[in-house]
Amino acid sequence: MTTIELRSDNAAGVAPEIIAAVAAANTGSVIAYGADPVTAQLEALVRSVFEHPAARVFPVTSGTAANALSLSSMCPPWGAVLCHDTAHILNSEAAATSMLGGGVLMRGVAGTDFRMHPDTLAAAFAATRWGDNHHSQPRVLSFTQPTDMGTIYSVAEIAALTAAARERGLRAHLDGARLANAIVALGCSPADVTWRAGVDVVSLGATKNGALSAEAIVCFDDAVADELVYRTKRAGHVTSKMRFQSAQLIAYLTDDLWLGLASVANQRMARLAAGLGDLGVGFVNRPDVNMLFAEVADEVATELERSGLLFYRIRPGVIRLVTSWQTTDDDVDRALASFAAALG
Ligand SMILES: Cc1ncc(COP(=O)(O)O)c(C=O)c1O
């Protein structure tokens, strides 16, 4: 039985351009721990791609590390990070931010479409006992773009949230594990959706979109970057052979490879979602990028599994389907055929 991979974009392989970049960097010797010319070239490229002459970049090996290191560098131990109720940092990182942040608390904020909204953020602020040392004080607003449930914030929505946060003295962090997918969906520039919209620090994902355990923290705030210099080392993320992570990230950002790969993933999902809609399948989310949470009876899910479709069961009656840069049109056609057969 041939399988169709729709569990996760993490299940996909490494893009050939990125493997080639690692091989190309594998000549001779260079100084270790990120003091190498490849890592310097990466920082120059990030500054150009994000149109920010002072951006600083810290390659790390996982999205959890990017988030926990960013947030712990932005928040005092007595502080709180506000994020949506569905945020990965709150639900799926085993409180890594609290550990690295010396007890930083994370507080969920409500909001339809899996996004925080100005009124739900205002409600969270209103519920805060500001200045009361019996309670953690909000110091960072973190949002996931695209959200953990595959919807996106518009640039204006991000700007409104970060402005409201800044009024209260909070910095803004963006979990961009799939940022390329959001940029493609919005048709905006990397700068527009980040620092121009008030974001101070970005966890820039690459692994889900074709890299080999390479992510980056992109920092637009010098004080936070100065913290990151030491915190990344203490957490074991100043890797000795950083040039190979940097080479991957250079390939990823060069000639819009990251956007091209994400565009394939988004397009495949758009086709899949359209086909499933035609078959009468209900959706939990609006699939703005490459993730779909579909309402599928458990018996139908079992039939789909028997047909070779790989996906995650999220809860009774709901499955998660994720496309990647590697998903083909043929995969989509075969997945739709499996659904048609399973639905009878
Ligand atoms: C939105 C989001 N942020 C962060 C992460 C963490 O990435 P990693 O698994 O590389 O630690 C994930 C992984 O699934 C994610 O979906």
Side-chain angles (χ1 to χ4, degrees):
M1 179 173 65
T2 50
T3 54
I4 306 165
E5 180 58 72
L6 292 173
R7 283 172 297 193
S8 170
D9 33 13
N10 274 328
V14 179
E17 295 87 342
I18 291 181
I19 288 283
V22 172
N26 193 26
T27 53
S29 65
V30 298
I31 192 162
Y33 298 112
D36 60 273
V38 185
T39 302
Q41 191 190 333
L42 171 65
E43 191 156 79
L45 180 60
V46 165
R47 289 176 176 182
S48 150
V49 168
F50 282 83
E51 302 175 68
H52 194 292
R56 286 162 69 184
V57 59
F58 299 84
V60 293
T61 57
S62 75
T64 300
N67 286 337
L69 282 164
S70 299
L71 293 167
S72 59
S73 300
M74 300 170 80
C75 195
W78 44 265
V81 175
L82 303 188
C83 56
H84 192 267
D85 285 328
T86 56
H88 202 269
I89 57 167
L90 182 61
N91 302 302
S92 304
E93 297 185 0
T97 292
S98 299
M99 183 188 73
L100 292 186
V104 165
L105 199 80
M106 279 169 289
R107 268 177 53 192
V109 176
T112 54
D113 274 341
F114 315 102
R115 293 173 301 166
M116 294 180 282
H117 300 282
D119 59 332
T120 59
L121 183 59
F125 285 154
T128 297
R129 298 172 73 142
W130 296 99
D132 180 341
N133 68 355
H134 295 80
H135 296 269
S136 295
Q137 301 293 301
R139 280 294 177 269
V140 182
L141 179 71
S142 175
F143 51 94
T144 319
Q145 169 77 325
T147 67
D148 299 78
M149 297 290 283
T151 55
I152 46 177
Y153 291 91
S154 71
V155 169
E157 283 167 338
I158 293 174
L161 287 171
T162 61
R166 203 163 301 274
E167 261 178 39
R168 290 286 193 165
L170 278 72
R171 286 185 167 114
H173 165 261
L174 187 154
D175 176 354
R178 298 184 176 86
L179 184 60
N181 302 80
I183 290 175
V184 167
L186 288 168
C188 66
S189 73
D192 284 345
V193 75
T194 58
W195 64 271
R196 277 199 201 114
V199 173
D200 300 295
V201 182
V202 179
S203 297
L204 174 64
T207 305
K208 293 176 196 303
N209 193 27
L212 197 174
S213 297
E215 314 267 311
I217 300 170
V218 176
C219 189
F220 306 113
D221 179 318
D222 240 11
V224 175
D226 289 344
E227 280 281 322
L228 279 164
V229 169
Y230 298 97
R231 286 179 177 269
T232 49
K233 179 62 192 172
R234 295 191 79 201
H237 280 273
V238 179
T239 56
S240 56
K241 297 199 179 179
M242 195 182 283
R243 73 172 139 150
F244 296 108
Q245 287 161 278
S246 301
Q248 290 184 57
L249 293 163
I250 289 171
Y252 187 64
L253 296 173
T254 298
D255 295 336
D256 290 343
L257 177 66
W258 61 319
L259 304 182
L261 295 170
S263 167
V264 171
N266 287 6
Q267 281 170 32
R268 300 291 184 263
M269 177 49 72
R271 272 196 62 221
L272 181 64
L276 292 179
D278 290 345
L279 290 171
V281 175
F283 301 162
V284 174
N285 68 318
R286 197 184 58 222
D288 288 333
V289 286
N290 63 329
M291 279 190 283
L292 175 63
F293 293 78
E295 291 162 355
V296 171
D298 294 344
E299 317 78 75
V300 175
T302 302
E303 270 312 303
L304 291 170
E305 283 164 348
R306 282 205 191 105
S307 76
L309 202 66
L310 302 176
F311 56 86
Y312 285 140
R313 292 183 189 239
I314 298 299
R315 57 174 186 268
V318 176
I319 65 169
R320 186 183 91 154
L321 304 165
V322 181
T323 52
S324 77
W325 67 274
Q326 226 172 13
T327 309
T328 62
D329 274 327
D330 185 52
D331 290 335
V332 174
D333 291 339
R334 288 190 298 127
L336 289 172
S338 290
F339 268 94
L343 291 165

